[in-house]
Amino acid sequence: MIRAVLVMNTQGKPRLAKFYEFLPVEKQQEIIRNVFAVLCSRPEHVSNFVDAESFFGPDARLVYKHFATLYFVFIFDGSENELAMLDLIQVFVETLDKCFRNVCELDVVFNYSKMHTILDEIIFGGQVLETSSTEVMKAVEEISKLEAASSAINLVPKSVSSWRSR
Amino acid sequence: PNLRFSNSDLDHSIHPLRNSIRLNFPANTIIMNPFSSGTRLRDMIRAIRACKTAAEERGVVRKECAAIRASINENDQDYRHRNMAKLMFIHMLGYPTHFGQMECLKLIASPGFPEKRIGYLGLMLLLDERQEVLMLVTNSLKQDLNHTNQYIVGLALCALGNICSAEMARDLAPVVERLLQFRDPNIRKKWKSTSLRAFKKLTSSKAGCIALCSNVSCHVTVREKHHGVLITGVQLCTDLCKTSTEALEHIRKIRCTKDANEGCKPVTADAQAVQRHRATILECVKDLDASIRKRALELVYVLANETNVKPLVKELVDYLEVSYLEELVHIRKLIKPLCFGVF
């Protein structure tokens, strides 16, 4: 089971934090800080797999991938295959790229709710739901169309429509 | 594919009018439109990003939270959506956001899809199973699970699967079960998977509908071809068997037939069917997909009892000779306790 998905930038600011089990807010923030401490000290060409037991509890492993200014981190337990998790990060990022066209960190910052939608199509309750980025894109597009359709009828503040237009 | 992450800086491309206003204020001032009751989401994010110190950031967040609180007190309909989006962002940074929980509920109860969506998203992020507020959501969830629009049903299922308390599980179990049977084929595979997952949560909260869940999981695993659903179904069976002996007996009594392509089905202890079903399960153990194989092995282990262990172990040993390397260890680990435990 996947226990958490974190996206943070190279300065340690969280861009997405989703925990699949109950943790109080302080613990969540502590975990984010610890993960950043581990990641920023890792040199370029070492393994992408890290043991996460010291800050996440027993049977926790962590896999991360570094893209430009972002770290994508998946924390999971022994029942998941590590290489499959690495591949899942790739699926997630590819889907983001398809969705935002040449995605960059700012897209992630200003559209975090869309990121959540995409992530919820891929991982559900800690289990992998879908591994094909085309399928995920289809579902996300349907949801965006639905939002666009209903919002056209209601009066919505401008900020929401600009967020939606992506 | 070559994924280029470009670091474009949106802050340079602002409207000229606002550009001149900005010159008179420090970078982290939130620009207030006198005609709206609050700032835009993007502006809040920009203001927070422009802060150079933690203290500045705290100040900005405090001001925003005060504005959101005021808006909540006035029961402001139009900006509820935006306030929730801001609250989720602030929550991610680590600040307390409990005052926004009732807003989630109000958003979930509204008829529009965007409001529901952000309400459910907020629910999953800001609340957790232990909050009493969750009880109030049950009714909205029930309505949404019965909604005609499949995406709204999906939203509700998703939320249910991620945060579900024992009482909610009890109330909503029959609705979720019904959903497994009547979904539109296009997205059926996804919703079956999500509802299976929701069920897993239900049983782990010991909601007392174990027989119901066993029925459902067998029902689904018999017909289901989709990979993700299958794994969840088998996992559910295995977990059920592990946690409850009555579930184990129940699953043992259910007959299932094998699907041609892939399927790992629970086995019955009936004498006549034992031969056929053993073959079925052992075929699943040889399935192409590694995770199905692993789950099938676990199921074999759990289902073994005095009557069938001898032939089961014999077949496993035969399989050892031809199985993939990584499973040798796994199978050996299973065979040993099977032999010692049962005899």
Side-chain angles (χ1 to χ4, degrees):
Chain A
M1 142 161 181
I2 297 171
R3 300 171 71 175
V5 173
L6 302 172
V7 179
M8 61 181 75
N9 73 358
T10 42
Q11 271 127 27
K13 287 224 150 242
R15 296 304 182 201
L16 181 143
K18 180 101 192 199
F19 291 86
Y20 290 99
E21 49 196 20
F22 170 67
L23 282 168
V25 180
E26 305 78 30
K27 191 80 174 65
Q28 289 182 1
Q29 290 296 315
E30 191 193 316
I31 287 174
I32 293 175
R33 281 193 298 272
N34 288 335
V35 169
F36 176 63
V38 166
L39 292 185
C40 66
S41 59
R42 285 178 80 78
E44 275 299 310
H45 299 293
V46 298
S47 156
N48 291 58
F49 300 98
V50 178
D51 194 70
E53 282 181 17
S54 51
F55 49 82
F56 210 89
D59 192 30
R61 296 204 41 91
L62 180 164
V63 62
Y64 73 96
K65 255 192 151 181
H66 185 176
F67 289 102
T69 58
L70 287 176
Y71 287 109
F72 286 77
V73 181
F74 281 30
I75 302 176
F76 53 96
D77 63 15
S79 71
E80 299 284 346
N81 181 305
E82 297 174 339
L83 287 176
M85 288 292 105
L86 194 61
D87 190 57
L88 205 64
I89 296 184
Q90 189 71 17
V91 168
F92 185 37
V93 175
E94 274 178 21
T95 317
L96 285 178
D97 196 42
K98 280 191 197 148
C99 196
F100 292 110
R101 290 175 294 277
N102 261 345
V103 60
C104 64
E105 186 185 339
L106 284 175
D107 290 319
V108 170
V109 174
F110 284 99
N111 296 289
Y112 58 90
S113 51
K114 195 148 196 191
M115 285 245 310
H116 272 287
T117 311
I118 295 173
L119 185 62
D120 286 337
E121 295 286 325
I122 296 177
I123 300 175
F124 180 80
Q127 302 282 0
V128 178
L129 190 63
E130 183 62 67
T131 52
S132 152
S133 65
T134 33
E135 291 295 325
V136 175
M137 271 315 291
K138 267 193 241 170
V140 170
E141 272 158 12
E142 289 282 344
I143 291 181
S144 308
K145 261 191 268 180
L146 204 59
E147 287 210 328
S150 21
S151 297
I153 307 169
N154 308 326
L155 276 175
V156 221
K158 189 167 185 295
S159 63
V160 176
S161 37
S162 60
W163 156 75
R164 227 195 330 108
S165 64
R166 282 222 181 233
Chain B
N2 190 11
L3 288 166
R4 288 180 303 109
F5 265 68
S6 49
N7 285 323
S8 66
D9 194 346
L10 290 179
D11 289 341
H12 289 310
S13 57
I14 39 180
H15 193 276
L17 177 65
R18 292 175 56 217
N19 208 348
S20 54
I21 293 177
R22 239 178 216 215
L23 285 173
N24 298 327
F25 294 90
N28 59 353
T29 304
I30 300 174
I31 299 195
M32 303 286 276
N33 177 345
F35 298 113
S36 80
S37 75
T39 57
R40 296 167 30 151
L41 174 65
R42 297 186 94 106
D43 295 330
M44 181 192 87
I45 297 182
R46 282 210 190 100
I48 291 179
R49 277 165 54 82
C51 293
K52 307 268 185 325
T53 68
E56 269 184 66
E57 189 184 287
R58 273 198 297 276
V60 171
V61 170
R62 207 178 306 134
K63 222 186 298 181
E64 277 295 335
C65 285
I68 295 174
R69 251 188 268 246
S71 176
I72 292 176
N73 287 337
E74 286 165 24
N75 214 0
D76 189 348
Q77 302 261 15
D78 304 326
Y79 297 101
R80 207 172 266 155
H81 189 303
R82 194 165 71 182
N83 289 339
M84 181 54 50
K86 287 184 190 169
L87 271 177
M88 292 196 292
F89 190 83
I90 293 174
H91 174 84
M92 184 172 68
L93 296 176
Y95 297 94
T97 50
H98 43 270
F99 57 89
Q101 288 171 2
M102 290 307 292
E103 286 296 284
C104 288
L105 271 57
K106 288 184 200 160
L107 278 165
I108 289 173
S110 26
F113 182 81
E115 287 79 28
K116 272 196 203 287
R117 193 173 88 82
I118 207 151
Y120 277 117
L121 201 56
L123 187 75
M124 286 192 279
L125 291 176
L126 302 180
L127 274 73
D128 58 74
E129 323 186 339
R130 303 177 195 190
Q131 305 275 4
E132 293 83 17
V133 159
L134 222 49
M135 292 305 302
L136 301 170
V137 174
T138 313
N139 202 28
S140 299
L141 269 174
K142 202 181 286 195
Q143 284 183 353
D144 284 339
L145 285 171
N146 288 321
H147 207 277
T148 44
N149 183 325
Q150 59 204 18
Y151 291 100
I152 294 189
V153 177
L155 285 178
L157 271 176
C158 193
L160 194 58
N162 281 311
I163 50 163
C164 176
S165 63
E167 297 83 14
M168 284 172 72
R170 253 199 309 269
D171 291 336
L172 296 168
V175 184
V176 180
E177 198 218 350
R178 192 185 61 78
L179 277 176
L180 276 172
Q181 283 138 19
F182 295 113
R183 287 328 287 159
D184 156 5
N186 290 333
I187 54 167
R188 177 166 48 195
K189 63 173 180 140
K190 173 151 189 270
W191 301 142
K192 273 196 176 166
S193 175
T194 57
S195 30
L196 266 176
R197 182 69 209 165
F199 261 127
K200 174 146 203 266
K201 270 289 174 102
L202 300 190
T203 52
S204 68
S205 319
K206 305 248 189 280
C209 43
I210 290 184
L212 179 74
C213 296
S214 334
N215 264 332
V216 158
S217 50
C218 293
H219 182 76
V220 168
T221 48
V222 167
R223 305 233 198 91
E224 204 46 65
K225 290 190 184 358
H226 185 249
H227 175 98
V229 188
L230 214 39
I231 290 199
T232 330
V234 172
Q235 178 76 57
L236 182 58
C237 291
T238 320
D239 288 343
L240 278 176
C241 296
K242 281 186 189 153
T243 54
S244 146
T245 42
E246 46 177 84
L248 186 57
E249 288 313 312
H250 194 88
I251 290 185
R252 283 214 183 111
K253 288 193 195 107
I254 294 171
R255 281 168 196 278
C256 303
T257 55
K258 187 191 189 302
D259 174 322
N261 298 333
E262 50 190 273
C264 175
K265 313 302 179 246
V267 154
T268 165
D270 260 354
Q272 309 103 315
V274 153
Q275 291 291 341
R276 182 159 44 102
H277 290 289
R278 219 175 49 227
T280 303
I281 285 230
L282 288 161
E283 267 187 62
C284 297
V285 170
K286 295 168 203 157
D287 191 286
L288 287 173
D289 181 275
S291 5
I292 291 188
R293 278 204 300 270
K294 179 161 183 262
R295 306 266 199 252
L297 281 173
E298 284 173 25
L299 196 50
V300 162
Y301 178 56
V302 171
L303 286 171
N305 59 17
E306 293 88 35
T307 50
N308 61 19
V309 70
K310 220 166 167 186
L312 264 180
V313 171
K314 178 179 179 308
E315 307 245 11
L316 280 180
V317 168
D318 290 337
Y319 176 56
L320 262 178
E321 295 169 14
V322 296
S323 68
Y324 299 89
L325 204 58
E326 69 268 13
E327 275 146 13
L328 285 181
V329 177
H330 206 82
I331 297 177
R332 260 212 322 270
K333 262 197 282 193
L334 290 181
I335 293 186
K336 215 164 138 191
L338 273 181
C339 300
F340 288 117
V342 177
F343 291 118

